[in-house]
Amino acid sequence: LAKTTQPISMDSYEGQEVNITCSHNNIATNDYITWYQQFPSQGPRFIIQGYKTKVTNEVASLFIPADRKSSTLSLPRVSLSDTAVYYCLVVGNTGFQKLVFGTGTRLLVSP
Amino acid sequence: DADVTQTPRNRITKTGKRIMLECSQTKGHDRMYWYRQDPGLGLRLIYYSFDVKDINKGEISDGYSVSRQAQAKFSLSLESAIPNQTALYFCATSGSSSYTQYFGPGTRLTVL
């Protein structure tokens, strides 16, 4: 599975748009990019998944360039409750035994 | 009711004891997973099962074993617990045609 690299932490203020970028240089053709959110002492929660271009749902957008070697999670107008750790995961049908959630990006939203 | 449940939610045990953590799901998913999370770190895969007859080791399976009793149940055992197995343990499920995982609330295990 592709190794991912994310910023360790980010700070923002309520109402701002937050973009978290994940690098996955050795992504395979059949791999999908998935983002999760985790609050302290809770299990990760699925946010969004994509393969290419742009995907949008009610909580976030995911932008994937043509080479698919990176992706950007965009959270519009964040609130205090968006303070959490965000994980980027590249998943496919091969190498599943090496599936690892990295340390993620710790987002702190301030008033 | 929660779709993925884990029991117990908290457990304190002593070195050398055998411990079983249980996971049940009502999502009808074929795939189930066990992860551990250490403080300040991400999740690491211990075991995964793609159906009742399929069990696979993850990256950190040493010291653990699993049992898939039914499609809805996946148990994790620590045969002889040691202090460095103190961690937060999560169970997750996914459908066979999707990579989206749904996580349980976690079990906080402390080995003294």
Side-chain angles (χ1 to χ4, degrees), chain A residues 6-18:
Chain A
Q6 304 173 230
I8 293 174
S9 64
M10 296 183 67
D11 295 323
S12 184
Y13 293 96
E14 281 188 295
Q16 291 190 334
E17 178 184 76
V18 171

mmCIF file with all atom_site columns, all heavy atoms in Angstrom, chain A residues 6-18:
data_model
loop_
_atom_site.group_PDB
_atom_site.id
_atom_site.type_symbol
_atom_site.label_atom_id
_atom_site.label_alt_id
_atom_site.label_comp_id
_atom_site.label_asym_id
_atom_site.label_entity_id
_atom_site.label_seq_id
_atom_site.pdbx_PDB_ins_code
_atom_site.Cartn_x
_atom_site.Cartn_y
_atom_site.Cartn_z
_atom_site.occupancy
_atom_site.B_iso_or_equiv
_atom_site.pdbx_formal_charge
_atom_site.auth_seq_id
_atom_site.auth_comp_id
_atom_site.auth_asym_id
_atom_site.auth_atom_id
_atom_site.pdbx_PDB_model_num
ATOM 1   N N   . GLN A 1 6  ? 1.473   13.458 5.705  1.00 0.00 ? 6  GLN A N   1
ATOM 2   C CA  . GLN A 1 6  ? 0.586   14.581 5.989  1.00 0.00 ? 6  GLN A CA  1
ATOM 3   C C   . GLN A 1 6  ? 1.285   15.521 6.952  1.00 0.00 ? 6  GLN A C   1
ATOM 4   O O   . GLN A 1 6  ? 2.172   15.099 7.701  1.00 0.00 ? 6  GLN A O   1
ATOM 5   C CB  . GLN A 1 6  ? -0.699  14.118 6.686  1.00 0.00 ? 6  GLN A CB  1
ATOM 6   C CG  . GLN A 1 6  ? -1.517  13.081 6.028  1.00 0.00 ? 6  GLN A CG  1
ATOM 7   C CD  . GLN A 1 6  ? -2.654  12.621 6.917  1.00 0.00 ? 6  GLN A CD  1
ATOM 8   O OE1 . GLN A 1 6  ? -2.834  11.414 7.092  1.00 0.00 ? 6  GLN A OE1 1
ATOM 9   N NE2 . GLN A 1 6  ? -3.437  13.542 7.459  1.00 0.00 ? 6  GLN A NE2 1
ATOM 10  N N   . PRO A 1 7  ? 0.851   16.777 7.013  1.00 0.00 ? 7  PRO A N   1
ATOM 11  C CA  . PRO A 1 7  ? 1.385   17.667 8.055  1.00 0.00 ? 7  PRO A CA  1
ATOM 12  C C   . PRO A 1 7  ? 0.961   17.139 9.424  1.00 0.00 ? 7  PRO A C   1
ATOM 13  O O   . PRO A 1 7  ? -0.113  16.562 9.581  1.00 0.00 ? 7  PRO A O   1
ATOM 14  C CB  . PRO A 1 7  ? 0.732   19.012 7.734  1.00 0.00 ? 7  PRO A CB  1
ATOM 15  C CG  . PRO A 1 7  ? -0.438  18.695 6.879  1.00 0.00 ? 7  PRO A CG  1
ATOM 16  C CD  . PRO A 1 7  ? -0.099  17.462 6.126  1.00 0.00 ? 7  PRO A CD  1
ATOM 17  N N   . ILE A 1 8  ? 1.821   17.320 10.392 1.00 0.00 ? 8  ILE A N   1
ATOM 18  C CA  . ILE A 1 8  ? 1.528   16.813 11.731 1.00 0.00 ? 8  ILE A CA  1
ATOM 19  C C   . ILE A 1 8  ? 0.386   17.579 12.379 1.00 0.00 ? 8  ILE A C   1
ATOM 20  O O   . ILE A 1 8  ? -0.476  16.993 13.042 1.00 0.00 ? 8  ILE A O   1
ATOM 21  C CB  . ILE A 1 8  ? 2.785   16.899 12.613 1.00 0.00 ? 8  ILE A CB  1
ATOM 22  C CG1 . ILE A 1 8  ? 3.840   15.932 12.089 1.00 0.00 ? 8  ILE A CG1 1
ATOM 23  C CG2 . ILE A 1 8  ? 2.450   16.589 14.074 1.00 0.00 ? 8  ILE A CG2 1
ATOM 24  C CD1 . ILE A 1 8  ? 5.166   16.037 12.805 1.00 0.00 ? 8  ILE A CD1 1
ATOM 25  N N   . SER A 1 9  ? 0.353   18.898 12.173 1.00 0.00 ? 9  SER A N   1
ATOM 26  C CA  . SER A 1 9  ? -0.692  19.700 12.800 1.00 0.00 ? 9  SER A CA  1
ATOM 27  C C   . SER A 1 9  ? -1.018  20.921 11.959 1.00 0.00 ? 9  SER A C   1
ATOM 28  O O   . SER A 1 9  ? -0.213  21.354 11.126 1.00 0.00 ? 9  SER A O   1
ATOM 29  C CB  . SER A 1 9  ? -0.250  20.133 14.203 1.00 0.00 ? 9  SER A CB  1
ATOM 30  O OG  . SER A 1 9  ? 0.885   20.973 14.123 1.00 0.00 ? 9  SER A OG  1
ATOM 31  N N   . MET A 1 10 ? -2.213  21.449 12.190 1.00 0.00 ? 10 MET A N   1
ATOM 32  C CA  . MET A 1 10 ? -2.660  22.679 11.544 1.00 0.00 ? 10 MET A CA  1
ATOM 33  C C   . MET A 1 10 ? -3.550  23.441 12.515 1.00 0.00 ? 10 MET A C   1
ATOM 34  O O   . MET A 1 10 ? -4.266  22.822 13.315 1.00 0.00 ? 10 MET A O   1
ATOM 35  C CB  . MET A 1 10 ? -3.453  22.380 10.264 1.00 0.00 ? 10 MET A CB  1
ATOM 36  C CG  . MET A 1 10 ? -2.661  21.709 9.175  1.00 0.00 ? 10 MET A CG  1
ATOM 37  S SD  . MET A 1 10 ? -3.622  21.453 7.676  1.00 0.00 ? 10 MET A SD  1
ATOM 38  C CE  . MET A 1 10 ? -3.874  23.125 7.137  1.00 0.00 ? 10 MET A CE  1
ATOM 39  N N   . ASP A 1 11 ? -3.501  24.750 12.409 1.00 0.00 ? 11 ASP A N   1
ATOM 40  C CA  . ASP A 1 11 ? -4.360  25.603 13.224 1.00 0.00 ? 11 ASP A CA  1
ATOM 41  C C   . ASP A 1 11 ? -5.269  26.420 12.323 1.00 0.00 ? 11 ASP A C   1
ATOM 42  O O   . ASP A 1 11 ? -4.874  26.829 11.235 1.00 0.00 ? 11 ASP A O   1
ATOM 43  C CB  . ASP A 1 11 ? -3.510  26.563 14.081 1.00 0.00 ? 11 ASP A CB  1
ATOM 44  C CG  . ASP A 1 11 ? -2.674  25.834 15.102 1.00 0.00 ? 11 ASP A CG  1
ATOM 45  O OD1 . ASP A 1 11 ? -3.169  24.832 15.653 1.00 0.00 ? 11 ASP A OD1 1
ATOM 46  O OD2 . ASP A 1 11 ? -1.531  26.247 15.357 1.00 0.00 ? 11 ASP A OD2 1
ATOM 47  N N   . SER A 1 12 ? -6.485  26.672 12.791 1.00 0.00 ? 12 SER A N   1
ATOM 48  C CA  . SER A 1 12 ? -7.418  27.488 12.030 1.00 0.00 ? 12 SER A CA  1
ATOM 49  C C   . SER A 1 12 ? -8.368  28.189 12.996 1.00 0.00 ? 12 SER A C   1
ATOM 50  O O   . SER A 1 12 ? -8.325  27.963 14.213 1.00 0.00 ? 12 SER A O   1
ATOM 51  C CB  . SER A 1 12 ? -8.209  26.605 11.061 1.00 0.00 ? 12 SER A CB  1
ATOM 52  O OG  . SER A 1 12 ? -9.055  27.388 10.251 1.00 0.00 ? 12 SER A OG  1
ATOM 53  N N   . TYR A 1 13 ? -9.215  29.040 12.419 1.00 0.00 ? 13 TYR A N   1
ATOM 54  C CA  . TYR A 1 13 ? -10.222 29.727 13.201 1.00 0.00 ? 13 TYR A CA  1
ATOM 55  C C   . TYR A 1 13 ? -11.605 29.371 12.677 1.00 0.00 ? 13 TYR A C   1
ATOM 56  O O   . TYR A 1 13 ? -11.768 28.983 11.507 1.00 0.00 ? 13 TYR A O   1
ATOM 57  C CB  . TYR A 1 13 ? -10.014 31.240 13.135 1.00 0.00 ? 13 TYR A CB  1
ATOM 58  C CG  . TYR A 1 13 ? -8.743  31.695 13.823 1.00 0.00 ? 13 TYR A CG  1
ATOM 59  C CD1 . TYR A 1 13 ? -7.571  31.906 13.093 1.00 0.00 ? 13 TYR A CD1 1
ATOM 60  C CD2 . TYR A 1 13 ? -8.707  31.891 15.202 1.00 0.00 ? 13 TYR A CD2 1
ATOM 61  C CE1 . TYR A 1 13 ? -6.407  32.310 13.717 1.00 0.00 ? 13 TYR A CE1 1
ATOM 62  C CE2 . TYR A 1 13 ? -7.541  32.289 15.842 1.00 0.00 ? 13 TYR A CE2 1
ATOM 63  C CZ  . TYR A 1 13 ? -6.401  32.499 15.086 1.00 0.00 ? 13 TYR A CZ  1
ATOM 64  O OH  . TYR A 1 13 ? -5.250  32.886 15.704 1.00 0.00 ? 13 TYR A OH  1
ATOM 65  N N   . GLU A 1 14 ? -12.566 29.505 13.529 1.00 0.00 ? 14 GLU A N   1
ATOM 66  C CA  . GLU A 1 14 ? -13.939 29.220 13.134 1.00 0.00 ? 14 GLU A CA  1
ATOM 67  C C   . GLU A 1 14 ? -14.323 30.002 11.878 1.00 0.00 ? 14 GLU A C   1
ATOM 68  O O   . GLU A 1 14 ? -13.983 31.172 11.744 1.00 0.00 ? 14 GLU A O   1
ATOM 69  C CB  . GLU A 1 14 ? -14.901 29.613 14.257 1.00 0.00 ? 14 GLU A CB  1
ATOM 70  C CG  . GLU A 1 14 ? -14.983 28.626 15.387 1.00 0.00 ? 14 GLU A CG  1
ATOM 71  C CD  . GLU A 1 14 ? -16.084 28.975 16.366 1.00 0.00 ? 14 GLU A CD  1
ATOM 72  O OE1 . GLU A 1 14 ? -15.974 30.027 17.020 1.00 0.00 ? 14 GLU A OE1 1
ATOM 73  O OE2 . GLU A 1 14 ? -17.054 28.204 16.452 1.00 0.00 ? 14 GLU A OE2 1
ATOM 74  N N   . GLY A 1 15 ? -15.032 29.351 10.994 1.00 0.00 ? 15 GLY A N   1
ATOM 75  C CA  . GLY A 1 15 ? -15.518 30.001 9.789  1.00 0.00 ? 15 GLY A CA  1
ATOM 76  C C   . GLY A 1 15 ? -14.570 29.962 8.613  1.00 0.00 ? 15 GLY A C   1
ATOM 77  O O   . GLY A 1 15 ? -14.966 30.271 7.486  1.00 0.00 ? 15 GLY A O   1
ATOM 78  N N   . GLN A 1 16 ? -13.319 29.567 8.846  1.00 0.00 ? 16 GLN A N   1
ATOM 79  C CA  . GLN A 1 16 ? -12.351 29.502 7.751  1.00 0.00 ? 16 GLN A CA  1
ATOM 80  C C   . GLN A 1 16 ? -12.434 28.174 7.018  1.00 0.00 ? 16 GLN A C   1
ATOM 81  O O   . GLN A 1 16 ? -12.949 27.181 7.537  1.00 0.00 ? 16 GLN A O   1
ATOM 82  C CB  . GLN A 1 16 ? -10.939 29.716 8.290  1.00 0.00 ? 16 GLN A CB  1
ATOM 83  C CG  . GLN A 1 16 ? -10.660 31.116 8.776  1.00 0.00 ? 16 GLN A CG  1
ATOM 84  C CD  . GLN A 1 16 ? -9.181  31.329 9.070  1.00 0.00 ? 16 GLN A CD  1
ATOM 85  O OE1 . GLN A 1 16 ? -8.460  30.403 9.378  1.00 0.00 ? 16 GLN A OE1 1
ATOM 86  N NE2 . GLN A 1 16 ? -8.745  32.581 8.975  1.00 0.00 ? 16 GLN A NE2 1
ATOM 87  N N   . GLU A 1 17 ? -11.918 28.171 5.807  1.00 0.00 ? 17 GLU A N   1
ATOM 88  C CA  . GLU A 1 17 ? -11.778 26.937 5.050  1.00 0.00 ? 17 GLU A CA  1
ATOM 89  C C   . GLU A 1 17 ? -10.414 26.334 5.375  1.00 0.00 ? 17 GLU A C   1
ATOM 90  O O   . GLU A 1 17 ? -9.411  27.039 5.433  1.00 0.00 ? 17 GLU A O   1
ATOM 91  C CB  . GLU A 1 17 ? -11.873 27.214 3.551  1.00 0.00 ? 17 GLU A CB  1
ATOM 92  C CG  . GLU A 1 17 ? -11.687 25.955 2.688  1.00 0.00 ? 17 GLU A CG  1
ATOM 93  C CD  . GLU A 1 17 ? -11.684 26.277 1.202  1.00 0.00 ? 17 GLU A CD  1
ATOM 94  O OE1 . GLU A 1 17 ? -10.666 26.803 0.711  1.00 0.00 ? 17 GLU A OE1 1
ATOM 95  O OE2 . GLU A 1 17 ? -12.694 25.999 0.538  1.00 0.00 ? 17 GLU A OE2 1
ATOM 96  N N   . VAL A 1 18 ? -10.407 25.031 5.588  1.00 0.00 ? 18 VAL A N   1
ATOM 97  C CA  . VAL A 1 18 ? -9.150  24.337 5.905  1.00 0.00 ? 18 VAL A CA  1
ATOM 98  C C   . VAL A 1 18 ? -8.857  23.314 4.813  1.00 0.00 ? 18 VAL A C   1
ATOM 99  O O   . VAL A 1 18 ? -9.737  22.539 4.427  1.00 0.00 ? 18 VAL A O   1
ATOM 100 C CB  . VAL A 1 18 ? -9.242  23.627 7.271  1.00 0.00 ? 18 VAL A CB  1
ATOM 101 C CG1 . VAL A 1 18 ? -8.030  22.737 7.490  1.00 0.00 ? 18 VAL A CG1 1
ATOM 102 C CG2 . VAL A 1 18 ? -9.361  24.657 8.395  1.00 0.00 ? 18 VAL A CG2 1
#
